[in-house]
Amino acid sequence: KEMRLAFVLGNGLRLIEGALNRGAEEEQQVKQAGWILASLAVDMKISRYVVDGGGLRMLVEYAERENVLFQEEAAWAIANFSSNEANAIPLLESNALPTLLDL
């Protein structure tokens, strides 16, 4: 868990964001970055740091892609964020809920 926290508090989320912003020609990198981000959402002890670092926004953008697998992974991760009470307000303030309802 310390490695995950160090990743999140370091430049890890910026690396993920860079990979998520790649075009369709690099879909494998997008998929891997999305999966790493989704896996970070599982850890209740770091989920707030992930949200504060822009991870929720990245997941919403990931969910808005055309790929159904990306949408499912993002929905799963956003659901995991919702199990941490500290994430309630960011979830409401983000576009996460309307995005999930549109899937």
Side-chain angles (χ1 to χ4, degrees):
K1 290 188 180 192
E2 288 104 19
M3 290 293 282
R4 287 176 174 232
L5 183 58
F7 179 82
V8 170
L9 295 178
N11 288 324
L13 292 176
R14 278 193 254 174
L15 293 171
I16 289 173
E17 185 170 31
L20 288 174
N21 288 331
R22 298 191 187 272
E25 67 279 356
E26 298 186 41
E27 190 168 283
Q28 187 62 29
Q29 284 186 341
V30 172
K31 178 181 178 183
Q32 291 170 347
W35 178 249
I36 292 168
L37 186 57
S39 70
L40 292 171
V42 173
D43 191 335
M44 293 279 289
K45 293 182 180 178
I46 66 167
S47 71
R48 182 59 192 199
Y49 297 110
V50 176
V51 169
D52 288 346
L56 179 57
R57 177 188 44 78
M58 288 182 244
L59 281 168
V60 169
E61 293 170 4
Y62 191 58
E64 292 171 342
R65 291 178 172 263
E66 295 295 319
N67 187 309
V68 174
L69 176 65
F70 296 173
Q71 294 171 350
E72 289 175 358
E73 289 175 353
W76 170 73
I78 292 168
N80 281 325
F81 281 142
S82 72
S83 55
N84 184 340
E85 188 177 319
N87 296 330
I89 291 175
L91 280 164
L92 291 173
E93 291 176 344
S94 74
N95 198 34
L97 299 179
T99 299
L100 290 178
L101 292 173
D102 286 343
L103 295 181

